[in-house]
Amino acid sequence: MGGKEVFHGNKEVVELINSVQFDWDKIVETLIDFLNNGAGNMLSSTLTAAKSIISGVSTFVIAFLFAIYILLQKKKLGIQAKKVLFAFVRRGRAEAVVEVSSLTYSTFSSFLTGQCLEAVILGSMFVLAMTIFRLPYALLVGIFIAFTALIPIFGAFLGCAEGAFLIFMVDPMKALMFIVLFLVLQQIEGNLIYPHVVGNSVGLPSIWVLAAVSIGGSLMGVVGMLIFIPIVSVAYALFREIVYLKLKKQGVDPAELEV
């Protein structure tokens, strides 16, 4: 049954159907142009995104496996490195390099391990306390604070600001309770937990910790804030050792200068 027969008696519809003309050449041309340009660009973008994802995943897997291999072979690789060092470098300088490397390793290891453990403890404290006081987003805020706490000095306050904002969207009074809770837990963490977990692992005065965080953040962002503290700590320890050796050669007792 044709279109005219269906709409017989409705002259406007019949006239509209008669006026519609399909330019099949134009339709085919448009379809070919879409396949050549639009679909081609879409396919190209999809392939590029897929290649980037596969490349990123493969790089991460290779780096992860390589890191595990280094950890498993850490002792053997260290012995091999010492042999090569002592074979090509004068004994005194080789011993100095070994001592600096040992100091660097122990400082980074103590700081990063303590910082990660302290962040996990702090995040767990917030999840537990927020659950007890029935504050919203307890798990989400606790995890976020645990991650931001990896950044010394400023990190936990960033987590507090984000958590307070999320809770404020639900209940402003509970946001105020969260801020008070944060101040209480921050005091407990700073005075009781942090000294025992991280302690004086970096051996830096507070002013140098602040300087290291500021310089590292300005140069390398969040990663710089995290790694510049042990770097500055190693430099501080080496410089202090040099100063003490110089004072000893000049016959000056460092304890006399501290009076």
Side-chain angles (χ1 to χ4, degrees), residues 56-253:
V57 172
S58 60
T59 301
F60 172 78
V61 171
I62 293 173
F64 182 73
L65 294 176
F66 188 70
I68 291 180
Y69 174 79
I70 290 178
L71 289 174
L72 293 176
Q73 300 291 326
K74 178 178 64 175
K75 186 175 181 179
K76 184 176 180 180
L77 291 174
I79 294 173
Q80 291 175 346
K82 283 183 181 180
K83 290 179 179 179
V84 173
L85 181 65
F86 278 86
F88 292 95
V89 181
R90 188 163 54 85
R91 185 178 182 86
R93 293 182 179 178
E95 290 176 348
V97 171
V98 170
E99 185 177 351
V100 172
S101 300
S102 177
L103 174 63
T104 303
Y105 171 77
S106 61
T107 302
F108 269 83
S109 177
S110 299
F111 175 73
L112 294 178
T113 302
Q115 197 72 20
C116 291
L117 181 59
E118 184 266 341
V120 171
I121 293 174
L122 183 62
S124 302
M125 288 172 56
F126 270 94
V127 172
L128 181 61
M130 292 178 67
T131 303
I132 293 174
F133 289 102
R134 296 185 178 181
L135 297 178
Y137 305 116
L139 182 61
L140 177 63
V141 173
I143 293 174
F144 189 80
I145 288 179
F147 275 103
T148 56
L150 292 173
I151 305 173
I153 301 177
F154 306 115
F157 292 96
L158 295 176
C160 173
E162 182 67 21
F165 176 77
L166 288 175
I167 298 174
F168 182 82
M169 295 294 100
V170 178
D171 189 336
M173 287 303 298
K174 288 187 176 181
L176 182 61
M177 288 177 57
F178 170 76
I179 294 175
V180 174
L181 177 65
F182 171 82
L183 294 176
V184 173
L185 293 182
Q186 186 68 15
Q187 289 298 317
I188 296 174
E189 181 266 345
N191 295 319
L192 298 177
I193 298 174
Y194 194 88
H196 293 285
V197 176
V198 181
N200 297 320
S201 59
V202 293
L204 272 181
S206 301
I207 184 63
W208 292 111
V209 172
L210 181 60
V213 172
S214 302
I215 296 172
S218 62
L219 293 178
M220 300 175 60
V222 175
V223 177
M225 291 182 180
L226 186 60
I227 67 173
F228 257 67
I229 289 181
I231 289 175
V232 174
S233 175
V234 172
Y236 179 85
L238 293 175
F239 183 72
R240 182 178 57 187
E241 187 70 21
I242 293 172
V243 170
Y244 274 59
L245 289 175
K246 293 288 186 182
L247 290 174
K248 186 176 180 180
K249 286 183 179 180
Q250 297 182 15
V252 178
D253 186 5

